[in-house]
């Protein structure tokens, strides 16, 4: 499932490249960061991915 989110995020990011585009990702809620901040497909994407990766390392 994470792989599918990454694909979608990458597609949206490519469409935005070099263009003055605003993406409303308010209906793409993914989860929360460790500080309780919400993460969406664009907003807080990088911190969310880092948080997930660090969480996965702690589970192994």
């Amino acid at each position: 499932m994470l792989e599918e989110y990454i694909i979608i995020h990458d597609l949206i990011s490519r469409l935005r490249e070099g263009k003055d585009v605003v993406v409303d990702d308010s209906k793409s809620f993914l989860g929360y960061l460790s500080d309780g901040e919400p993460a969406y497909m664009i907003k807080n994407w990088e911190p969310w991915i880092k948080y997930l990766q660090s969480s996965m390392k702690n589970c192994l």
Side-chain angles (χ1 to χ4, degrees):
M1 183 187 254
L2 179 58
E3 294 84 16
E4 293 166 346
Y5 287 146
I6 292 170
I7 291 168
I8 293 168
H9 172 79
D10 288 346
L11 287 171
I12 293 169
S13 295
R14 287 181 195 175
L15 290 171
R16 294 175 56 207
E17 281 180 10
K19 297 174 179 75
D20 189 24
V21 176
V22 176
V23 175
D24 178 6
D25 66 348
S26 62
K27 294 186 180 183
S28 66
F29 177 74
L30 299 170
Y32 293 99
L33 304 176
S34 61
D35 64 0
E37 182 81 20
Y40 299 89
M41 192 56 65
I42 299 299
K43 180 183 175 193
N44 286 332
W45 172 262
E46 291 299 325
W48 184 71
I49 289 293
K50 288 178 185 176
Y51 176 64
L52 286 181
Q53 290 172 339
S54 70
S55 295
M56 284 190 267
K57 288 177 187 174
N58 292 332
C59 292
L60 296 177

